[in-house]
Short mmCIF file of all heavy atoms in Angstrom, two decimals:
data_model
loop_
_atom_site.label_atom_id
_atom_site.label_comp_id
_atom_site.label_asym_id
_atom_site.label_seq_id
_atom_site.Cartn_x
_atom_site.Cartn_y
_atom_site.Cartn_z
N PHE A 1 -1.75 -7.31 9.33
CA PHE A 1 -2.32 -8.39 8.52
C PHE A 1 -1.46 -9.74 8.86
O PHE A 1 -0.24 -9.53 9.09
CB PHE A 1 -2.35 -8.29 6.98
CG PHE A 1 -1.11 -7.81 6.43
CD1 PHE A 1 -0.33 -8.80 5.70
CD2 PHE A 1 -0.70 -6.45 6.38
CE1 PHE A 1 0.96 -8.35 5.14
CE2 PHE A 1 0.53 -6.21 5.82
CZ PHE A 1 1.34 -7.06 5.18
N ALA A 2 -2.00 -10.78 8.72
CA ALA A 2 -1.32 -12.15 9.12
C ALA A 2 -0.86 -12.85 7.96
O ALA A 2 -1.14 -12.52 6.73
CB ALA A 2 -2.35 -12.93 10.02
N TYR A 3 -0.21 -13.95 8.21
CA TYR A 3 0.12 -14.90 7.16
C TYR A 3 -0.95 -15.35 6.21
O TYR A 3 -2.00 -15.69 6.66
CB TYR A 3 0.79 -16.17 7.66
CG TYR A 3 1.16 -17.19 6.73
CD1 TYR A 3 2.23 -17.01 5.95
CD2 TYR A 3 0.38 -18.29 6.70
CE1 TYR A 3 2.59 -18.08 4.98
CE2 TYR A 3 0.75 -19.32 5.72
CZ TYR A 3 1.76 -19.18 4.89
OH TYR A 3 2.09 -20.22 4.03
N GLY A 4 -0.75 -15.14 4.97
CA GLY A 4 -1.78 -15.54 4.01
C GLY A 4 -2.71 -14.43 3.63
O GLY A 4 -3.58 -14.46 2.71
N GLN A 5 -2.74 -13.28 4.37
CA GLN A 5 -3.62 -12.12 4.13
C GLN A 5 -2.70 -11.06 3.28
O GLN A 5 -1.61 -11.19 3.13
CB GLN A 5 -4.05 -11.46 5.35
CG GLN A 5 -4.99 -12.29 6.12
CD GLN A 5 -5.50 -11.56 7.41
OE1 GLN A 5 -4.82 -10.85 8.12
NE2 GLN A 5 -6.76 -11.83 7.82
N ALA A 6 -3.49 -10.15 2.76
CA ALA A 6 -2.88 -9.07 1.98
C ALA A 6 -3.31 -7.68 2.61
O ALA A 6 -4.39 -7.56 3.28
CB ALA A 6 -3.44 -9.00 0.54
N PRO A 7 -2.46 -6.66 2.66
CA PRO A 7 -2.73 -5.40 3.30
C PRO A 7 -3.92 -4.79 2.49
O PRO A 7 -4.18 -4.99 1.28
CB PRO A 7 -1.48 -4.61 3.14
CG PRO A 7 -0.69 -5.21 1.96
CD PRO A 7 -1.04 -6.66 2.06
N SER A 8 -4.64 -3.96 3.17
CA SER A 8 -5.81 -3.26 2.51
C SER A 8 -5.75 -1.84 3.16
O SER A 8 -5.12 -1.47 3.99
CB SER A 8 -7.11 -3.99 2.80
OG SER A 8 -7.36 -3.97 4.15
N ARG A 9 -6.82 -1.00 2.57
CA ARG A 9 -7.03 0.34 3.02
C ARG A 9 -8.41 0.68 3.41
O ARG A 9 -9.34 -0.11 2.96
CB ARG A 9 -6.44 1.31 1.94
CG ARG A 9 -7.25 1.28 0.63
CD ARG A 9 -6.56 2.12 -0.39
NE ARG A 9 -7.34 2.02 -1.77
CZ ARG A 9 -8.20 2.93 -2.02
NH1 ARG A 9 -8.50 4.02 -1.29
NH2 ARG A 9 -8.85 2.75 -3.26
N GLN A 10 -8.61 1.83 4.05
CA GLN A 10 -9.96 2.23 4.36
C GLN A 10 -10.65 2.78 3.16
O GLN A 10 -9.98 3.57 2.39
CB GLN A 10 -9.92 3.25 5.51
CG GLN A 10 -11.25 3.84 5.92
CD GLN A 10 -10.95 5.01 6.68
OE1 GLN A 10 -9.99 5.36 7.43
NE2 GLN A 10 -12.07 5.90 6.76
N LEU A 11 -11.86 2.55 2.99
CA LEU A 11 -12.70 3.24 1.94
C LEU A 11 -13.85 4.01 2.72
O LEU A 11 -14.19 3.81 3.87
CB LEU A 11 -13.28 2.22 1.03
CG LEU A 11 -12.24 1.43 0.13
CD1 LEU A 11 -13.01 0.37 -0.67
CD2 LEU A 11 -11.52 2.36 -0.76
N ASP A 12 -14.50 4.87 1.95
CA ASP A 12 -15.60 5.45 2.56
C ASP A 12 -16.81 4.58 2.72
O ASP A 12 -16.91 3.65 1.99
CB ASP A 12 -15.97 6.74 1.58
CG ASP A 12 -15.02 7.76 1.46
OD1 ASP A 12 -14.26 7.91 2.47
OD2 ASP A 12 -14.96 8.56 0.44
N SER A 13 -17.56 4.88 3.77
CA SER A 13 -18.71 4.00 4.00
C SER A 13 -19.68 4.04 2.81
O SER A 13 -19.72 5.11 2.17
CB SER A 13 -19.41 4.54 5.23
OG SER A 13 -18.57 4.39 6.47
N PRO A 14 -20.31 2.83 2.57
CA PRO A 14 -20.48 1.73 3.41
C PRO A 14 -19.45 0.73 2.98
O PRO A 14 -19.44 -0.39 3.52
CB PRO A 14 -21.82 1.28 3.03
CG PRO A 14 -22.08 1.54 1.62
CD PRO A 14 -21.40 2.86 1.52
N GLU A 15 -18.51 0.98 2.04
CA GLU A 15 -17.59 -0.13 1.55
C GLU A 15 -16.59 -0.50 2.70
O GLU A 15 -16.27 -1.66 2.89
CB GLU A 15 -16.79 0.40 0.32
CG GLU A 15 -17.68 0.44 -0.89
CD GLU A 15 -18.34 1.78 -0.97
OE1 GLU A 15 -18.18 2.68 -0.01
OE2 GLU A 15 -18.98 1.98 -2.01
N SER A 16 -16.04 0.47 3.46
CA SER A 16 -15.19 0.38 4.59
C SER A 16 -13.79 -0.14 4.30
O SER A 16 -12.83 0.44 4.81
CB SER A 16 -15.82 -0.70 5.60
OG SER A 16 -17.08 -0.22 6.03
N GLU A 17 -13.61 -1.05 3.40
CA GLU A 17 -12.28 -1.64 3.17
C GLU A 17 -12.04 -1.95 1.80
O GLU A 17 -12.91 -2.49 1.03
CB GLU A 17 -12.04 -2.80 4.02
CG GLU A 17 -10.67 -3.41 4.00
CD GLU A 17 -10.53 -4.69 5.08
OE1 GLU A 17 -11.38 -4.67 5.94
OE2 GLU A 17 -9.74 -5.51 4.82
N GLY A 18 -10.87 -1.81 1.27
CA GLY A 18 -10.51 -2.11 -0.05
C GLY A 18 -9.04 -2.40 -0.38
O GLY A 18 -8.25 -2.26 0.59
N PRO A 19 -8.71 -2.79 -1.52
CA PRO A 19 -7.25 -3.06 -1.72
C PRO A 19 -6.41 -1.81 -1.63
O PRO A 19 -6.88 -0.73 -2.05
CB PRO A 19 -7.20 -3.77 -3.17
CG PRO A 19 -8.45 -3.17 -3.80
CD PRO A 19 -9.48 -3.02 -2.74
N LEU A 20 -5.18 -1.98 -1.39
CA LEU A 20 -4.17 -0.90 -1.43
C LEU A 20 -3.84 -0.51 -2.98
O LEU A 20 -3.83 -1.34 -3.84
CB LEU A 20 -2.83 -1.28 -0.83
CG LEU A 20 -2.78 -1.22 0.65
CD1 LEU A 20 -1.38 -1.68 1.19
CD2 LEU A 20 -3.13 0.17 1.26
N SER A 21 -3.81 0.81 -3.11
CA SER A 21 -3.45 1.31 -4.44
C SER A 21 -2.02 1.08 -4.67
O SER A 21 -1.07 1.22 -3.92
CB SER A 21 -3.70 2.80 -4.58
OG SER A 21 -3.00 3.54 -3.65
N VAL A 22 -1.65 0.58 -6.02
CA VAL A 22 -0.31 0.31 -6.31
C VAL A 22 0.16 1.43 -7.29
O VAL A 22 -0.37 1.75 -8.28
CB VAL A 22 -0.21 -1.07 -7.05
CG1 VAL A 22 1.20 -1.30 -7.63
CG2 VAL A 22 -0.75 -2.13 -6.23
N PRO A 23 1.18 2.16 -6.90
CA PRO A 23 1.63 3.32 -7.67
C PRO A 23 2.39 2.94 -8.91
O PRO A 23 2.73 1.73 -9.08
CB PRO A 23 2.63 4.03 -6.67
CG PRO A 23 3.03 3.04 -5.88
CD PRO A 23 1.86 1.98 -5.64
N VAL A 24 2.47 3.80 -9.82
CA VAL A 24 3.20 3.57 -11.04
C VAL A 24 4.59 3.08 -10.76
O VAL A 24 5.29 2.13 -11.28
CB VAL A 24 3.17 4.81 -11.98
CG1 VAL A 24 4.03 4.45 -13.23
CG2 VAL A 24 1.79 5.00 -12.38
N ASN A 25 5.30 3.85 -9.77
CA ASN A 25 6.63 3.61 -9.39
C ASN A 25 6.55 3.14 -7.96
O ASN A 25 6.64 3.94 -7.11
CB ASN A 25 7.54 4.77 -9.51
CG ASN A 25 7.68 5.25 -10.98
OD1 ASN A 25 8.05 4.36 -11.92
ND2 ASN A 25 7.70 6.48 -11.29
N ARG A 26 6.54 1.84 -7.79
CA ARG A 26 6.31 1.39 -6.38
C ARG A 26 7.61 1.38 -5.65
O ARG A 26 7.68 1.89 -4.52
CB ARG A 26 5.79 -0.06 -6.37
CG ARG A 26 5.78 -0.71 -4.98
CD ARG A 26 5.25 -2.12 -4.93
NE ARG A 26 5.43 -2.66 -3.73
CZ ARG A 26 5.01 -3.94 -3.33
NH1 ARG A 26 4.51 -4.77 -4.27
NH2 ARG A 26 5.20 -4.35 -2.11
N PHE A 27 8.61 0.98 -6.21
CA PHE A 27 9.97 0.92 -5.51
C PHE A 27 10.90 2.06 -6.04
O PHE A 27 10.80 2.63 -7.10
CB PHE A 27 10.71 -0.45 -5.73
CG PHE A 27 10.06 -1.63 -5.18
CD1 PHE A 27 9.25 -2.44 -6.09
CD2 PHE A 27 9.95 -1.85 -3.88
CE1 PHE A 27 8.57 -3.47 -5.65
CE2 PHE A 27 9.15 -2.89 -3.30
CZ PHE A 27 8.48 -3.68 -4.22
N ALA A 28 11.77 2.40 -5.09
CA ALA A 28 12.84 3.46 -5.29
C ALA A 28 14.09 3.12 -4.65
O ALA A 28 13.94 2.53 -3.53
CB ALA A 28 12.33 4.87 -5.03
N SER A 29 15.09 3.44 -5.19
CA SER A 29 16.37 3.59 -4.40
C SER A 29 16.88 4.99 -4.22
O SER A 29 16.97 5.70 -5.20
CB SER A 29 17.53 2.75 -5.27
OG SER A 29 18.72 2.74 -4.55
N VAL A 30 17.10 5.37 -3.04
CA VAL A 30 17.42 6.78 -2.74
C VAL A 30 18.80 6.91 -2.07
O VAL A 30 19.13 6.14 -1.10
CB VAL A 30 16.36 7.35 -1.73
CG1 VAL A 30 16.62 8.78 -1.54
CG2 VAL A 30 15.01 7.16 -2.37
N ALA A 31 19.68 7.66 -2.66
CA ALA A 31 21.00 7.89 -2.16
C ALA A 31 21.17 9.32 -1.67
O ALA A 31 20.67 10.26 -2.28
CB ALA A 31 22.11 7.62 -3.22
N GLN A 32 21.87 9.48 -0.50
CA GLN A 32 22.25 10.88 0.10
C GLN A 32 23.67 11.15 -0.17
O GLN A 32 24.57 10.43 0.23
CB GLN A 32 21.82 10.84 1.50
CG GLN A 32 20.50 10.49 1.83
CD GLN A 32 19.42 11.56 1.41
OE1 GLN A 32 19.76 12.70 1.11
NE2 GLN A 32 18.15 11.09 1.44
N LEU A 33 23.97 12.18 -1.04
CA LEU A 33 25.30 12.57 -1.28
C LEU A 33 25.69 13.74 -0.48
O LEU A 33 25.02 14.68 -0.10
CB LEU A 33 25.50 12.88 -2.75
CG LEU A 33 24.98 11.82 -3.79
CD1 LEU A 33 25.31 12.26 -5.26
CD2 LEU A 33 25.52 10.48 -3.41
N LEU A 34 27.06 13.90 -0.26
CA LEU A 34 27.69 14.99 0.57
C LEU A 34 28.82 15.45 -0.22
O LEU A 34 29.74 14.70 -0.59
CB LEU A 34 28.04 14.57 1.95
CG LEU A 34 28.85 15.57 2.76
CD1 LEU A 34 27.99 16.80 2.98
CD2 LEU A 34 29.41 14.91 3.98
#
């Protein structure tokens, strides 16, 4: 997607395209410990 556009996802025909689903927890910080 280009400047000024928003990402989208595939839908079943005939809709073809729709907005991306936003999860309840969109962001995460993940640490790896040893």
Side-chain angles (χ1 to χ4, degrees):
F1 56 96
Y3 171 75
Q5 293 181 324
S8 61
R9 64 188 178 95
Q10 174 194 339
L11 298 177
D12 294 334
S13 296
E15 291 85 359
S16 297
E17 186 179 337
L20 281 179
S21 57
V22 180
V24 176
N25 295 313
R26 174 179 172 181
F27 296 105
S29 180
V30 183
Q32 304 289 343
L33 306 185
L34 171 65

